[in-house]
Amino acid sequence: MSSTPRCHVLSLDFQDLDVIWNVRLFYLAAGYSLLRERVDSDPELLVVLRGDPGLSHQTYGGTVHIYDYVKELQVDWRSRFPHAREIRLISLLRPAVLPEGVRWVQGYLPVIPEFWQQLPFRKRAGRPLHIANFKPMGDDPYQRDLALLARRGLVDVHGSHWDKIGLSTHGLSYLEANRRLAGAYCCYGLMYPYQRGTTLSGRMWQAPLHGCLVISEKGTNPFGLPGLLEVERFDPDTLLSVVSIRECWQIQREATRYWQEATGQLARQLDLPAYRGPSAVHLARCRRDRRAQHRSVVWSRQLHRLGNWLTPPPISCWWRRRQRMVRGLGRLLGADARQASGSTNR
């Protein structure tokens, strides 16, 4: 067995890369080596981030850390890992039913402030942000208010599927999203109704780490996180919730201190005494992954736009456009011919 304990991260779709980067840095800083793929011999630790792994790990006999931050599934974790030496379930609230042999740890997720924060600290005047995909949750009053503000040009919305309600938007890479949060004074949060008050969304820690106030739904901050403002409605009165860069700087300092202490406390609760924060080498590796994800998103967006440009519209529009191009080319050639013959056109 290797002298360095090994850790393997499980996720149903590896969709939440911000979570994955934080978790990787957390366990690397705790002295683990990360396995990208399963190997013949079991690692000492399995980390489950989201989704149900099914029955594919019935023989695993090591330690399991399960982060219940999505709140979408109710899983009998002991049946998924019947031979695990220890199973720890990390969530902000104690589950209503805790299977025998599963230990609850109160916490959220590890958050590494130095990986996300942008330098230098500066703000640009502009509209509040909302960075998230459109959520299919019916006639939710908060999403309805947010859509109304966006249609009036009062909120800058980014994300996919907002075209369903008539807004032209596109998704951002994590690097783009954090750059925009770093330049904004405030942003709007929006969670699924079943998540409100039971877990946190990514913007609730990302935005305050950049000194950006999160305006969120009533009842979504029972844990007292810094940089969150609960409101009854999303309306224009909340647009000026932060008016000075000094307030933004204070939000960033409080959020940085909070998440450093919370992450250190989580390490102690999980019996990871070697945790001292990520090294410069580990930070650089994850930053390379973040830049790679940024390039992939940008290239995909550009290819999509190019495909739309190359795809011809209905034949009538296509023909009229070609006619205008031919007429313009004819005028250009005619002007060149007149210039060559010495004529003028006054």
Side-chain angles (χ1 to χ4, degrees):
M1 181 180 295
S2 173
S3 58
T4 302
R6 299 165 303 162
C7 170
H8 182 57
V9 178
L10 299 176
S11 176
L12 180 65
D13 50 17
F14 287 91
Q15 180 177 341
D16 297 335
L17 290 177
D18 53 348
V19 172
I20 291 172
W21 288 325
N22 276 328
V23 165
R24 287 177 178 172
L25 289 169
F26 179 67
Y27 285 100
L28 285 170
Y32 284 85
S33 62
L34 298 183
L35 301 176
R36 295 281 183 169
E37 298 178 355
R38 287 293 304 273
V39 294
D40 294 336
S41 59
D42 282 335
E44 285 72 24
L45 175 65
L46 282 180
V47 176
V48 181
L49 292 183
R50 62 179 298 169
D52 184 353
L55 304 178
S56 57
H57 298 81
Q58 292 278 292
T59 62
Y60 178 71
T63 300
V64 183
H65 291 172
I66 301 162
Y67 289 90
D68 184 21
Y69 72 99
V70 182
K71 298 297 181 183
E72 290 180 338
L73 301 173
Q74 294 291 331
V75 180
D76 183 357
W77 294 109
R78 176 50 72 181
S79 70
R80 297 298 185 260
F81 304 98
H83 299 290
R85 181 174 64 252
E86 183 181 38
I87 300 176
R88 301 200 188 192
L89 178 65
I90 301 99
S91 64
L92 287 167
L93 298 175
R94 183 183 178 88
V97 178
L98 193 64
E100 185 178 356
V102 178
R103 177 180 170 185
W104 174 60
V105 175
Q106 186 174 25
Y108 175 57
L109 285 162
V111 174
I112 312 300
E114 54 267 42
F115 176 70
W116 298 101
Q117 289 169 332
Q118 307 281 317
L119 293 175
F121 183 85
R122 58 167 65 112
K123 294 291 178 180
R124 298 183 296 273
R127 296 175 293 176
L129 300 176
H130 176 68
I131 303 176
N133 296 334
F134 178 79
K135 293 178 170 58
M137 52 187 186
D139 192 29
D140 182 77
Y142 288 102
Q143 185 162 257
R144 187 176 63 244
D145 289 348
L146 193 59
L148 180 61
L149 292 174
R151 290 195 186 101
R152 294 173 59 186
L154 299 176
V155 175
D156 193 10
V157 174
H158 300 272
S160 301
H161 311 308
W162 286 92
D163 58 318
K164 295 179 179 179
I165 57 172
L167 297 175
S168 179
T169 63
H170 60 74
L172 301 176
S173 70
Y174 284 97
L175 189 58
E176 289 175 310
N178 278 268
R179 285 172 176 171
R180 290 181 182 272
L181 291 173
Y185 284 86
C186 60
C187 69
Y188 280 90
L190 186 66
M191 305 178 72
Y192 285 101
Y194 65 84
Q195 292 179 322
R196 292 168 185 163
T198 63
T199 186
L200 308 174
S201 66
R203 71 186 59 81
M204 289 181 172
W205 56 265
Q206 282 188 51
L209 286 177
H210 296 298
C212 178
L213 178 73
V214 181
I215 304 169
S216 190
E217 309 97 308
K218 191 69 175 179
T220 54
N221 190 23
F223 314 106
L225 271 70
L228 267 67
L229 173 65
E230 293 184 357
V231 295
E232 296 281 356
R233 292 284 304 276
F234 290 165
D235 56 47
D237 292 339
T238 61
L239 296 177
L240 299 178
S241 299
V242 175
V243 295
S244 73
I245 195 170
R246 180 172 295 180
E247 292 180 63
C248 296
W249 179 249
Q250 181 67 19
I251 289 172
Q252 185 192 50
R253 286 193 298 178
E254 292 177 358
T256 300
R257 181 170 59 251
Y258 177 91
W259 286 110
Q260 286 175 341
E261 293 176 356
T263 301
Q265 174 66 16
L266 178 62
R268 290 188 291 273
Q269 290 175 300
L270 295 174
D271 296 326
L272 304 175
Y275 181 79
R276 299 182 181 87
S279 68
V281 173
H282 295 153
L283 288 169
R285 289 175 182 171
C286 284
R287 284 170 180 152
R288 284 198 297 269
D289 290 343
R290 185 175 57 184
R291 287 194 297 269
Q293 190 264 348
H294 169 70
R295 289 192 295 268
S296 175
V297 169
V298 172
W299 291 344
S300 177
R301 192 162 63 219
Q302 291 174 345
L303 288 174
H304 180 72
R305 290 173 178 171
L306 179 62
N308 289 338
W309 183 80
L310 291 176
T311 302
I315 187 66
S316 58
C317 298
W318 177 87
W319 179 243
R320 286 196 298 269
R321 190 168 63 186
R322 294 303 182 273
Q323 284 179 321
R324 288 195 297 268
M325 184 182 69
V326 170
R327 286 196 295 267
L329 183 59
R331 286 194 295 269
L332 180 62
L333 292 176
D336 290 341
R338 287 192 296 273
Q339 289 177 5
S341 63
S343 64
T344 61
N345 185 7
R346 299 184 183 276

